[in-house]
Amino acid sequence: MSLPPLETVRANGRAIAYRAAGDGPALVLLHGIGSGSASWAPQIDALADRFRIVAWDAPGYGGSDPLPGDAPPCSAYADAVGDLLDGLGLARAHLLGHSLGGLIAACFAARHPGRLESVALSDAAAGYRNASEEIRVGRLEARIAAMTTLGPAEVAKRRAREVLSPGAPDAIYDKVYAVQSRVRPEGYAQAARMLHGSDIFADAAAIRAPALVMYGSEDSVTPEAIGRDIAAAIPGARYVTLEGLGHASYVEGPEAFNAALTQFLDGLA
């Protein structure tokens, strides 16, 4: 299957871009801070025969307009997910968020429980709201400065290997780089500020939808210990280790990733 083209819905005067394929129950995919809707090609290809797959470009990414302000909170991104569902006429959906998208998914799940069939968090970012000032502010400023001065392509060149396991082949690096190098600096800066001002644990205990948490065993960006803590904070959550995979687990090992996800979803039937 070729990658579906970008489409858009409009809400509150802003465009939200997405790629969609398939029929069946809706499964909405939220990418991470250095990514975009195109990164979900292996999931769209494998799962569109069973689900209506909707992969968004987060606000300020790809074809989506940015949110208002320099530092929109996580709740604003969660509201944008709701806007996307409304624009597509979806009352309920399964929601899957990776990294920063996991933070958004948890925020949405805590605030809009009636709209979820389930929520899956993959290598989710925990946020830095409770971190030291050096991490919360210093790393944020360094992250934004790198994107501003070096540009997306150079940042992607330096960053793409970090989100993979040490043994990941060059072909996978190339796929990650291709998406990361197209990140829009304005949207990235907004998302970075949200990441550094958020805390996934503030939402985790309020999640009532069936929940899956899965992390790559070789994830050096959000180590597995974080994932286990997040799973423990969500009532009834299931935890899965994706052996041998790094942070971009769904790109590096789509077969194992998709198998864990479908096993979880099948168990809900």
Side-chain angles (χ1 to χ4, degrees):
M1 176 186 294
S2 60
L3 190 66
L6 278 179
E7 303 178 64
T8 59
V9 296
R10 296 199 66 84
N12 299 316
R14 296 188 301 275
I16 303 174
Y18 65 95
R19 302 178 192 271
D23 294 304
L27 173 59
V28 178
L29 312 179
L30 311 180
H31 62 79
I33 192 170
S35 196
S37 60
S39 66
W40 294 105
Q43 286 65 47
I44 295 171
D45 187 52
L47 303 176
D49 61 339
R50 299 182 52 195
F51 297 94
R52 182 183 181 189
I53 306 294
V54 178
W56 85 340
D57 280 335
Y61 285 71
S64 295
D65 292 334
L67 292 167
D70 290 335
C74 193
S75 59
Y77 287 85
D79 288 344
V81 175
D83 290 339
L84 175 63
L85 297 183
D86 290 343
L88 296 175
L90 298 174
R92 293 172 63 86
H94 299 282
L95 189 60
L96 166 60
H98 175 260
S99 194
L100 183 85
L103 189 62
I104 298 169
C107 188
F108 183 87
R111 286 161 175 74
H112 305 283
R115 304 204 67 175
L116 284 184
E117 299 290 350
S118 71
V119 61
L121 309 179
S122 161
D123 303 274
Y128 296 106
R129 189 171 71 194
N130 296 320
S132 67
E133 184 166 347
E134 177 188 1
I135 293 175
R136 186 174 52 82
V137 178
R139 288 190 186 180
L140 169 63
E141 293 175 350
R143 185 192 291 263
I144 294 175
M147 182 62 71
T148 302
T149 59
L150 299 175
E154 185 62 31
V155 170
K157 185 185 297 184
R158 301 180 181 199
R159 180 72 169 165
R161 276 289 173 198
E162 296 178 8
V163 300
L164 300 172
S165 71
D170 289 344
I172 299 299
Y173 167 87
D174 291 343
K175 290 180 180 180
V176 172
Y177 172 81
V179 177
Q180 286 192 350
S181 64
R182 298 188 184 102
V183 166
R184 291 164 50 194
E186 177 188 7
Y188 181 90
Q190 284 187 322
R193 295 185 187 103
M194 183 272 277
L195 171 65
H196 284 255
S198 297
D199 174 23
I200 199 171
F201 292 99
D203 294 315
I207 295 174
R208 292 297 178 265
L212 169 68
V213 180
M214 48 184 175
Y215 278 62
S217 65
E218 301 300 314
D219 188 341
S220 61
V221 178
T222 53
E224 231 193 319
I226 294 174
R228 293 186 183 279
D229 287 345
I230 292 171
I234 301 173
R238 177 182 178 185
Y239 185 83
V240 172
T241 296
L242 299 171
E243 293 291 348
L245 300 180
H247 184 65
S249 55
Y250 69 105
V251 181
E252 183 177 352
E255 296 83 3
F257 184 97
N258 295 346
L261 177 63
T262 54
Q263 183 179 31
F264 166 69
L265 296 175
D266 287 346
L268 302 178

